[in-house]
Amino acid sequence: MTLLKKTGYFLGIPLLLLAAWTVYTSTATNFFIPEPAKLMDRFFKIWFSERFVSDVLPSLSRLLAGLGLSIVIGIAVGAVIGYVRWIRWLFEPLFEFIRAIPSTILIPVLLLLIGINDSMKITLIVFSCVWPILLNTVAGVTSIDEVLQNTAKVIGLTKFDRMRYLVLPAASPQIMAGIRQSLAVALILMVVSEMFASTDGIGHWTINFQNRVAIAEMWSGILLLGIIGVTLSVVFQWFQKRILAWYEGLKEKEND
Amino acid sequence: MTRAQKPVRLKVDQVQKIYQTGAGTEFEAVRSLTFDLHDGEFACLVGPSGSGKTTLLKCIAGLMRTTSGEVVLDGQSVNGPAKGMAVVFQEYGRSLFPWMTVEANVDLPLKTSGVPKMERAERVRDALESVGLDKAGAKYPWQLSGGMQQRVAIARAVASQPSVLLMDEPFAAVDAQTRADLEDLVRRIWRKHNMTILFVTHDIDESVYLAERVLVLSSSPTVIQNDIEIDLPQERDQLVTRSAARFAELRAEVYERVQFAKTNIHAVVEPARFTEAHA
């Protein structure tokens, strides 16, 4: 496919929608839908001024801290649970229960226990994001091929080396799938925590603008969140391509 | 120096394996297995299917506990995977780490057992050269053909310089032409590195072509039914050796013993001359 064709496919529908939106707002006057030009104007004025430091960066750092902690905890705990059978049997029912609780309902509890601060928001993000990663890690670790395991044994790998050279790489495709799921969850929980209990952040201001009937401003928050979500996903895919290059190659070969 | 004068590398002493098959029932896979493998020996274990070949190999490799009896490697009792034992599995596609390059796969046992870096590079290069893959080091295993993957597994075993190399039907899953090449390769490596090899196979021709000694297993519960010396010349060739009269004789002998093993369960003691037993 030529580059031109690719760009066409990529931008076709968005450009069409943008055109329809421009035409609509120039003919009809719906108070709740701002013109694209106005929205873009507000978007840059609001988020790329002092708010970038006072609100966007705090939101992003909470998001990344929550994600980072979830990844570390999810992989570490998941690997141990997947690796040691009796620990798995002991904890799996509990995990299934905790996982079934909608995390947003924990906001009141966390507010009481931790208070209105960054720790509370990060805790909330971790509480939801850790599960896809943890459970995928467990699944990946428990489904390692028997011949590979025997190979690791006869090679004489120690427990630590086996973790490093066999278990984690073998589980990495599933771990990455778990992380991918948790990206979307993290963004949702970041916004929700800011809408409920915050004095700064993208979520806080988006709901604040809505309360003050600042419609274009409200939309600009939504646009920013969308952009953050897409960026997160693009960065993740870049990493995944590098980490799982062997896996993609292997799968391609098997499908030949 | 004759075989018996060389030091014993591997001693399999009255090894028995009984599986618990649930509900209090038991299955005796291996009854009492005894044999010695001397330094530099190349022995093949052949037996009918279901003769507990894989069970036995797992017991020797330390991947499975024996019910009774003992496996001794270089004077040390084997309780779990032992240093000094390398194993080449049948499933080449699943015994190499697909996230590592060929070189990294061969290097892994050396790296994790603390061999100095300079020596490691040398040994990895040497081992890959021995199997004719010195140019494929940077590739991933899945980029190679089945036969080449098995050669990587052999190189990994060679690089670790084991006292005993165990091979569990390593060529059962490759095509005939590749198989012939790999057989010659193993013979070459055995001589070049002066290795001690125990090779499990169900293929009678292969066992005679490869080994200096063929151990015929009985049906399950398994014992060693025969211990046959293969007195073919050291220099072997797929065409010349396989068409030699002596090869045909040995092949026929092993074949008859395996047939006997199939039909005579619990044949612990075999009559002195097998042919007479049928008369």
Side-chain angles (χ1 to χ4, degrees):
Chain A
M1 207 160 34
T2 62
L3 191 69
L4 193 73
K5 226 172 162 183
K6 255 188 188 163
T7 324
Y9 273 110
F10 188 75
L11 290 176
I13 297 292
L15 283 176
L16 213 64
L17 285 174
L18 192 65
W21 178 14
T22 311
V23 171
Y24 174 76
T25 48
S26 63
T27 54
T29 47
N30 186 331
F31 178 72
F32 296 111
I33 300 176
E35 298 102 45
K38 190 179 172 194
L39 175 59
M40 288 318 289
D41 176 62
R42 295 299 143 84
F43 175 75
F44 285 107
K45 271 195 186 138
I46 290 171
W47 301 114
F48 293 89
S49 56
E50 63 268 27
R51 271 217 183 82
F52 188 76
V53 177
S54 66
D55 296 285
V56 178
L57 287 185
S59 282
L60 284 178
S61 50
R62 289 191 283 258
L63 176 75
L64 294 179
L67 265 177
L69 273 174
S70 304
I71 292 171
V72 171
I73 296 171
I75 294 176
V77 178
V80 171
I81 289 174
Y83 209 49
V84 186
R85 204 162 37 181
W86 65 268
I87 297 185
R88 183 162 74 247
W89 288 344
L90 211 56
F91 280 93
E92 253 178 354
L94 180 70
F95 284 162
E96 288 301 324
F97 175 75
I98 299 176
R99 194 185 166 218
I101 301 170
S103 332
T104 43
I105 204 66
L106 290 170
I107 294 176
V109 181
L110 293 177
L111 277 177
L112 292 175
L113 288 176
I114 305 177
I116 303 183
N117 52 27
D118 285 351
S119 309
M120 174 259 157
K121 297 181 186 72
I122 293 170
T123 307
L124 186 71
I125 294 174
V126 171
F127 196 88
S128 342
C129 288
V130 81
W131 301 112
I133 302 172
L134 193 155
L135 295 172
N136 268 284
T137 305
V138 171
V141 169
T142 49
S143 62
I144 295 174
D145 188 278
E146 197 199 326
V147 179
L148 276 185
Q149 296 200 50
N150 281 341
T151 301
K153 280 183 204 160
V154 299
I155 284 176
L157 296 190
T158 59
K159 275 211 167 82
F160 179 78
D161 280 342
R162 230 184 283 175
M163 203 46 119
R164 180 169 161 201
Y165 295 111
L166 170 68
V167 176
L168 289 179
S172 61
Q174 265 155 301
I175 294 175
M176 291 304 272
I179 294 175
R180 199 192 170 92
Q181 283 177 40
S182 70
L183 292 183
V185 178
L187 195 60
I188 293 171
L189 269 297
M190 177 202 90
V191 174
V192 171
S193 70
E194 288 173 355
M195 287 165 79
F196 272 93
S198 192
T199 52
D200 62 9
I202 305 165
H204 167 73
W205 284 108
T206 303
I207 203 99
N208 185 284
F209 290 137
Q210 189 245 348
N211 287 339
R212 292 194 279 145
V213 209
I215 301 302
E217 286 80 354
M218 176 192 80
W219 279 104
S220 77
I222 296 170
L223 180 63
L224 180 61
L225 287 170
I227 291 171
I228 291 173
V230 169
T231 310
L232 214 55
S233 156
V234 168
V235 170
F236 173 80
Q237 279 173 43
W238 186 85
F239 272 110
Q240 172 162 278
K241 230 181 176 168
R242 264 141 200 85
I243 296 173
L244 296 185
W246 66 268
Y247 183 67
E248 298 300 326
L250 179 70
K251 263 198 326 198
E252 225 168 87
K253 195 86 185 183
E254 276 171 358
N255 292 338
D256 265 0
Chain B
M1 199 152 58
T2 62
R3 182 177 94 210
Q5 289 167 325
K6 293 204 171 179
V8 173
R9 285 262 166 246
L10 180 74
K11 188 175 187 62
V12 176
D13 190 14
Q14 295 180 53
V15 163
Q16 184 191 32
K17 178 68 190 177
I18 298 173
Y19 288 104
Q20 303 296 327
T21 50
T25 54
E26 291 178 338
F27 172 67
E28 188 182 18
V30 178
R31 170 155 295 172
S32 174
L33 237 121
T34 302
F35 66 89
D36 288 348
L37 205 59
H38 295 260
D39 184 53
E41 238 184 325
F42 193 151
C44 277
L45 271 177
V46 284
S49 54
S51 61
K53 293 191 290 283
T54 299
T55 300
L56 177 61
L57 196 104
K58 278 189 173 159
C59 287
I60 296 173
L63 289 169
M64 195 181 261
R65 261 177 217 289
T66 58
T67 307
S68 67
E70 196 183 24
V71 176
V72 181
L73 178 73
D74 290 329
Q76 297 274 330
S77 185
V78 172
N79 307 296
K83 248 191 178 16
M85 196 115 63
V87 185
V88 173
F89 294 99
Q90 180 185 337
E91 302 90 340
Y92 51 79
R94 292 156 60 201
S95 77
L96 298 171
F97 293 173
W99 45 87
M100 290 181 186
T101 61
V102 164
E103 228 161 47
N105 266 289
V106 176
D107 185 38
L108 185 64
L110 311 181
K111 186 161 132 189
T112 51
S113 60
V115 178
K117 205 163 186 172
M118 293 289 280
E119 192 191 332
R120 265 164 50 200
E122 175 80 35
R123 273 160 73 171
V124 170
R125 196 166 352 109
D126 190 43
L128 282 175
E129 212 178 270
S130 293
V131 300
L133 284 176
D134 37 335
K135 289 188 181 64
K139 289 198 166 153
Y140 284 93
W142 38 268
Q143 291 174 312
L144 306 175
S145 68
M148 283 162 97
Q149 289 180 35
Q150 195 57 297
R151 283 200 255 163
V152 177
I154 293 169
R156 179 174 60 194
V158 169
S160 68
Q161 299 175 348
S163 287
V164 172
L165 172 59
L166 303 177
M167 304 185 86
D168 184 15
E169 305 206 28
F171 310 144
V174 297
D175 62 82
Q177 185 54 54
T178 307
R179 183 176 193 145
D181 292 344
L182 287 172
E183 284 167 3
D184 291 335
L185 177 92
V186 169
R187 282 283 305 180
R188 241 184 357 255
I189 284 173
W190 169 67
R191 294 180 68 182
K192 181 182 166 194
H193 298 271
N194 189 31
M195 300 179 85
T196 309
I197 300 180
L198 183 63
F199 190 108
V200 174
T201 178
H202 62 264
D203 186 323
I204 290 155
D205 284 52
E206 184 169 81
S207 71
V208 175
Y209 182 74
L210 282 176
E212 312 294 293
R213 180 184 173 199
V214 172
L215 299 166
V216 180
L217 299 175
S218 71
S219 292
S220 199
T222 312
V223 296
I224 297 273
Q225 186 189 274
N226 306 94
D227 189 342
I228 301 164
E229 188 89 31
I230 303 296
D231 50 3
L232 292 169
Q234 286 270 307
E235 220 45 78
R236 295 188 192 173
D237 177 271
Q238 291 286 350
L239 277 179
V240 177
T241 306
R242 282 180 193 269
S243 53
R246 184 65 187 140
F247 182 88
E249 279 169 33
L250 286 165
R251 187 192 167 281
E253 185 179 352
V254 176
Y255 182 82
E256 282 171 4
R257 311 267 173 175
V258 172
Q259 285 301 315
F260 179 85
K262 269 187 205 169
T263 48
N264 291 265
I265 299 174
H266 303 288
V268 178
V269 183
E270 189 220 0
R273 271 303 293 168
F274 169 65
T275 39
E276 287 161 14
H278 268 268

Coordinates of all heavy atoms in Angstrom, one line a residue, chain A residues 145-148 150-157 161 164-167 169-170 245-247 249-250 253, chain B residues 58 61 63 81-82 85 87 89 91 94-100 108-109 111-112 140 142-144 156:
Chain A
D145 N 5.2 -24.6 28.5 CA 5.4 -26.0 27.9 C 6.2 -26.9 28.8 O 7.2 -26.5 29.3 CB 6.0 -25.8 26.5 CG 6.1 -27.0 25.7 OD1 7.0 -27.8 26.0 OD2 5.2 -27.2 24.9
E146 N 5.8 -28.1 28.9 CA 6.5 -29.1 29.7 C 7.9 -29.4 29.3 O 8.8 -29.5 30.1 CB 5.7 -30.4 29.8 CG 6.0 -31.3 30.9 CD 5.6 -32.7 30.7 OE1 4.5 -32.9 30.1 OE2 6.3 -33.6 31.2
V147 N 8.1 -29.5 28.0 CA 9.4 -29.8 27.4 C 10.4 -28.6 27.8 O 11.5 -28.8 28.2 CB 9.4 -30.0 25.9 CG1 10.8 -30.3 25.4 CG2 8.5 -31.2 25.6
L148 N 9.9 -27.4 27.6 CA 10.7 -26.2 28.0 C 11.1 -26.3 29.5 O 12.2 -25.9 29.8 CB 9.9 -24.9 27.7 CG 9.9 -24.4 26.3 CD1 9.3 -23.0 26.2 CD2 11.4 -24.2 25.8
N150 N 11.3 -29.0 31.4 CA 12.3 -30.0 31.6 C 13.6 -29.6 31.1 O 14.7 -29.9 31.7 CB 11.8 -31.3 30.8 CG 10.8 -32.1 31.6 OD1 10.6 -31.9 32.8 ND2 10.0 -32.9 30.9
T151 N 13.6 -28.9 29.9 CA 14.9 -28.3 29.4 C 15.6 -27.5 30.5 O 16.8 -27.6 30.7 CB 14.6 -27.5 28.1 OG1 14.0 -28.4 27.2 CG2 15.9 -27.0 27.5
A152 N 14.8 -26.5 31.0 CA 15.4 -25.6 32.0 C 15.9 -26.4 33.2 O 17.0 -26.1 33.7 CB 14.3 -24.6 32.5
K153 N 15.3 -27.5 33.6 CA 15.7 -28.3 34.7 C 17.0 -29.0 34.3 O 18.0 -29.0 35.1 CB 14.7 -29.4 35.1 CG 13.6 -28.8 35.9 CD 12.6 -29.9 36.3 CE 11.2 -29.3 36.6 NZ 10.2 -30.3 36.5
V154 N 17.1 -29.7 33.2 CA 18.3 -30.4 32.8 C 19.5 -29.5 32.5 O 20.6 -29.8 32.7 CB 18.1 -31.4 31.7 CG1 17.1 -32.5 32.0 CG2 17.8 -30.7 30.4
I155 N 19.2 -28.3 32.1 CA 20.2 -27.3 31.9 C 20.8 -26.9 33.3 O 21.9 -26.4 33.4 CB 19.7 -26.0 31.2 CG1 19.6 -26.3 29.7 CG2 20.6 -24.9 31.3 CD1 19.0 -25.2 28.9
G156 N 20.0 -27.1 34.3 CA 20.5 -26.8 35.7 C 20.2 -25.4 36.1 O 21.0 -24.8 37.0
L157 N 19.2 -24.7 35.6 CA 18.9 -23.4 36.0 C 18.4 -23.4 37.4 O 17.6 -24.2 37.8 CB 17.8 -22.8 35.1 CG 18.1 -22.6 33.6 CD1 17.0 -21.8 32.9 CD2 19.4 -21.9 33.4
D161 N 17.1 -18.1 38.1 CA 17.5 -18.1 36.7 C 16.3 -18.6 35.8 O 16.0 -18.1 34.7 CB 18.7 -19.0 36.4 CG 20.0 -18.2 36.7 OD1 19.9 -17.0 36.8 OD2 21.0 -18.9 36.9
R164 N 13.9 -15.9 35.4 CA 14.4 -14.8 34.5 C 14.5 -15.3 33.1 O 14.2 -14.5 32.2 CB 15.8 -14.4 35.0 CG 16.5 -13.4 34.2 CD 17.7 -12.9 35.0 NE 18.6 -12.2 34.0 CZ 19.9 -12.0 34.2 NH1 20.4 -12.4 35.3 NH2 20.6 -11.3 33.4
Y165 N 15.0 -16.5 32.9 CA 15.3 -16.9 31.5 C 14.1 -17.7 30.9 O 14.1 -17.9 29.7 CB 16.6 -17.7 31.4 CG 17.8 -16.9 31.7 CD1 18.5 -17.1 32.9 CD2 18.2 -15.9 30.9 CE1 19.6 -16.3 33.2 CE2 19.3 -15.1 31.2 CZ 20.0 -15.3 32.4 OH 21.1 -14.6 32.7
L166 N 13.3 -18.3 31.7 CA 12.2 -19.1 31.2 C 10.8 -18.5 31.5 O 10.1 -18.2 30.6 CB 12.3 -20.6 31.7 CG 11.1 -21.4 31.4 CD1 11.0 -21.7 30.0 CD2 11.1 -22.7 32.3
V167 N 10.5 -18.4 32.8 CA 9.1 -18.1 33.2 C 8.6 -16.8 32.7 O 7.6 -16.7 32.0 CB 9.0 -18.2 34.7 CG1 7.6 -17.9 35.1 CG2 9.3 -19.6 35.2
P169 N 9.9 -14.6 30.3 CA 9.8 -14.5 28.8 C 8.7 -15.3 28.3 O 8.0 -14.9 27.4 CB 11.2 -15.0 28.3 CG 12.1 -15.0 29.5 CD 11.3 -15.1 30.7
A170 N 8.5 -16.6 28.8 CA 7.5 -17.4 28.3 C 6.1 -16.8 28.5 O 5.2 -17.0 27.7 CB 7.6 -18.8 28.9
A245 N 8.9 -9.3 19.7 CA 9.3 -9.5 18.3 C 9.4 -11.0 18.0 O 8.9 -11.5 17.0 CB 10.6 -8.8 17.9
W246 N 10.0 -11.7 18.9 CA 10.2 -13.2 18.8 C 8.9 -13.9 18.7 O 8.7 -14.8 17.9 CB 11.0 -13.8 20.0 CG 10.3 -13.7 21.3 CD1 10.4 -12.7 22.2 CD2 9.4 -14.6 21.9 NE1 9.6 -12.9 23.3 CE2 9.0 -14.1 23.1 CE3 8.9 -15.9 21.5 CZ2 8.1 -14.8 23.9 CZ3 8.0 -16.6 22.3 CH2 7.6 -16.0 23.5
Y247 N 7.9 -13.4 19.4 CA 6.6 -14.1 19.5 C 5.8 -13.9 18.2 O 5.2 -14.8 17.7 CB 5.8 -13.5 20.7 CG 4.5 -14.2 20.9 CD1 4.4 -15.5 21.3 CD2 3.3 -13.4 20.7 CE1 3.1 -16.1 21.5 CE2 2.1 -14.0 20.9 CZ 2.0 -15.3 21.3 OH 0.8 -15.9 21.5
G249 N 7.2 -13.3 15.3 CA 7.9 -14.1 14.3 C 7.5 -15.6 14.4 O 7.2 -16.3 13.4
L250 N 7.5 -16.1 15.6 CA 7.1 -17.5 15.9 C 5.7 -17.8 15.4 O 5.5 -18.8 14.7 CB 7.2 -17.8 17.4 CG 6.9 -19.2 17.9 CD1 8.0 -20.1 17.4 CD2 6.9 -19.2 19.4
K253 N 5.4 -17.9 11.6 CA 6.0 -19.2 11.1 C 5.0 -20.3 11.3 O 4.9 -21.1 10.4 CB 7.3 -19.4 11.9 CG 8.2 -20.5 11.3 CD 9.1 -19.8 10.3 CE 9.9 -20.8 9.6 NZ 10.9 -20.2 8.7
Chain B
K58 N 13.9 -40.4 31.7 CA 13.5 -39.4 32.7 C 14.1 -39.7 34.0 O 14.6 -38.8 34.8 CB 12.0 -39.2 32.8 CG 11.5 -38.3 31.7 CD 10.0 -38.0 31.9 CE 9.6 -36.9 30.9 NZ 8.1 -36.9 30.7
A61 N 17.8 -39.0 33.8 CA 18.1 -37.6 33.7 C 17.7 -36.8 35.0 O 18.0 -35.7 35.2 CB 17.3 -37.0 32.6
L63 N 14.7 -36.3 36.1 CA 13.5 -35.6 36.0 C 12.3 -36.3 36.6 O 11.2 -35.8 36.8 CB 13.1 -35.4 34.5 CG 14.0 -34.4 33.7 CD1 13.8 -34.5 32.2 CD2 13.8 -33.0 34.2
P81 N 18.0 -33.3 38.4 CA 18.9 -33.0 37.3 C 20.3 -32.7 37.7 O 20.5 -31.9 38.6 CB 18.3 -31.7 36.7 CG 16.8 -31.8 37.0 CD 16.8 -32.4 38.4
A82 N 21.2 -33.5 37.1 CA 22.6 -33.4 37.6 C 23.5 -32.6 36.7 O 23.3 -32.6 35.5 CB 23.2 -34.8 37.7
M85 N 25.2 -33.9 33.2 CA 24.3 -34.7 32.3 C 23.6 -33.7 31.4 O 23.0 -32.7 31.8 CB 23.2 -35.4 33.2 CG 22.5 -36.5 32.4 SD 22.8 -38.1 33.1 CE 22.2 -38.1 34.7
V87 N 20.8 -33.4 28.1 CA 19.7 -34.1 27.5 C 19.3 -33.5 26.2 O 19.1 -32.2 26.1 CB 18.4 -34.2 28.4 CG1 17.4 -35.2 27.8 CG2 18.8 -34.8 29.8
F89 N 16.1 -33.6 23.7 CA 14.7 -34.2 23.6 C 14.3 -34.4 22.2 O 14.8 -33.8 21.3 CB 13.8 -33.2 24.3 CG 14.0 -33.1 25.8 CD1 14.7 -32.0 26.3 CD2 13.5 -34.0 26.7 CE1 14.9 -31.9 27.7 CE2 13.7 -33.9 28.1 CZ 14.4 -32.8 28.5
E91 N 11.4 -33.4 21.0 CA 10.6 -32.2 20.6 C 11.5 -31.0 20.4 O 11.5 -30.1 21.3 CB 9.5 -31.9 21.6 CG 8.5 -33.1 21.8 CD 9.0 -34.0 23.0 OE1 10.1 -34.0 23.4 OE2 8.1 -34.7 23.5
R94 N 10.3 -27.5 20.9 CA 9.8 -27.1 22.2 C 11.0 -27.1 23.3 O 10.7 -26.9 24.5 CB 8.7 -27.9 22.7 CG 7.4 -27.7 21.9 CD 6.5 -28.8 21.9 NE 6.0 -29.2 23.3 CZ 5.5 -30.3 23.7 NH1 5.4 -31.3 22.8 NH2 5.2 -30.5 24.9
S95 N 12.2 -27.4 22.8 CA 13.2 -27.5 23.8 C 14.3 -26.4 23.7 O 15.2 -26.3 24.4 CB 14.0 -28.9 23.7 OG 14.8 -28.9 22.6
L96 N 14.0 -25.5 22.7 CA 14.8 -24.3 22.6 C 14.0 -23.1 23.0 O 12.8 -23.1 22.8 CB 15.3 -24.1 21.1 CG 16.2 -25.2 20.6 CD1 16.4 -25.0 19.1 CD2 17.5 -25.3 21.3
F97 N 14.6 -22.1 23.6 CA 13.9 -20.9 24.0 C 13.7 -20.0 22.9 O 14.6 -19.4 22.3 CB 14.6 -20.2 25.2 CG 14.7 -21.0 26.4 CD1 15.5 -20.6 27.5 CD2 14.0 -22.2 26.6 CE1 15.5 -21.4 28.7 CE2 14.1 -23.0 27.8 CZ 14.8 -22.5 28.8
P98 N 12.4 -19.8 22.4 CA 12.2 -19.1 21.2 C 12.5 -17.6 21.3 O 12.6 -16.9 20.3 CB 10.7 -19.3 20.9 CG 10.1 -19.7 22.2 CD 11.2 -20.4 23.0
W99 N 12.6 -17.1 22.6 CA 12.9 -15.7 22.8 C 14.4 -15.4 22.7 O 14.8 -14.3 22.9 CB 12.3 -15.1 24.0 CG 12.5 -16.1 25.2 CD1 13.6 -16.1 26.1 CD2 11.6 -17.1 25.7 NE1 13.4 -17.1 27.0 CE2 12.2 -17.7 26.8 CE3 10.4 -17.6 25.2 CZ2 11.6 -18.8 27.4 CZ3 9.8 -18.6 25.9 CH2 10.4 -19.2 27.0
M100 N 15.2 -16.4 22.6 CA 16.6 -16.2 22.5 C 17.2 -16.6 21.2 O 16.6 -17.6 20.5 CB 17.3 -17.1 23.6 CG 17.0 -16.7 25.0 SD 17.9 -17.9 26.1 CE 17.3 -17.3 27.6
L108 N 23.3 -20.3 27.2 CA 22.6 -20.2 28.5 C 23.1 -21.2 29.6 O 23.4 -20.7 30.7 CB 21.1 -20.5 28.3 CG 20.2 -20.3 29.5 CD1 20.3 -18.8 30.0 CD2 18.8 -20.7 29.2
P109 N 23.3 -22.5 29.3 CA 23.8 -23.3 30.4 C 25.2 -22.9 30.9 O 25.5 -23.1 32.1 CB 23.9 -24.7 29.7 CG 23.1 -24.6 28.5 CD 23.1 -23.2 28.1
K111 N 26.4 -19.7 30.8 CA 26.3 -18.4 31.4 C 25.8 -18.7 32.9 O 26.3 -18.1 33.8 CB 25.3 -17.6 30.6 CG 25.1 -16.2 31.1 CD 24.5 -15.4 30.0 CE 23.3 -14.6 30.4 NZ 22.6 -14.0 29.3
T112 N 24.8 -19.5 33.0 CA 24.2 -19.7 34.3 C 25.0 -20.6 35.2 O 24.7 -20.7 36.4 CB 22.7 -20.3 34.2 OG1 22.8 -21.4 33.4 CG2 21.8 -19.2 33.6
Y140 N 17.0 -16.7 15.2 CA 16.1 -17.3 16.2 C 15.8 -18.8 15.8 O 15.7 -19.1 14.6 CB 14.8 -16.5 16.4 CG 15.0 -15.2 17.2 CD1 15.3 -14.0 16.5 CD2 15.0 -15.2 18.6 CE1 15.5 -12.9 17.2 CE2 15.2 -14.0 19.2 CZ 15.5 -12.9 18.6 OH 15.7 -11.7 19.3
W142 N 13.1 -20.5 15.7 CA 12.0 -20.7 14.8 C 12.2 -20.2 13.4 O 11.4 -20.5 12.5 CB 10.7 -20.0 15.4 CG 11.0 -18.7 16.0 CD1 11.3 -18.5 17.3 CD2 11.0 -17.4 15.4 NE1 11.5 -17.1 17.5 CE2 11.3 -16.4 16.4 CE3 10.8 -17.0 14.0 CZ2 11.5 -15.1 16.1 CZ3 11.0 -15.6 13.8 CH2 11.3 -14.7 14.8
Q143 N 13.4 -19.6 13.1 CA 13.7 -19.3 11.7 C 14.4 -20.4 11.0 O 14.7 -20.3 9.9 CB 14.6 -18.0 11.7 CG 13.9 -16.8 12.2 CD 14.8 -15.5 12.3 OE1 15.8 -15.6 12.9 NE2 14.3 -14.4 11.8
L144 N 14.7 -21.5 11.8 CA 15.4 -22.6 11.2 C 14.5 -23.8 11.0 O 13.4 -23.9 11.5 CB 16.5 -23.1 12.2 CG 17.5 -22.0 12.7 CD1 18.4 -22.6 13.7 CD2 18.3 -21.4 11.6
R156 N 24.0 -27.1 22.0 CA 23.9 -26.7 23.4 C 24.4 -27.8 24.4 O 25.1 -27.5 25.3 CB 22.4 -26.4 23.7 CG 22.2 -26.0 25.2 CD 20.7 -25.5 25.4 NE 19.8 -26.6 25.1 CZ 18.5 -26.4 25.0 NH1 18.0 -25.2 25.2 NH2 17.7 -27.4 24.8

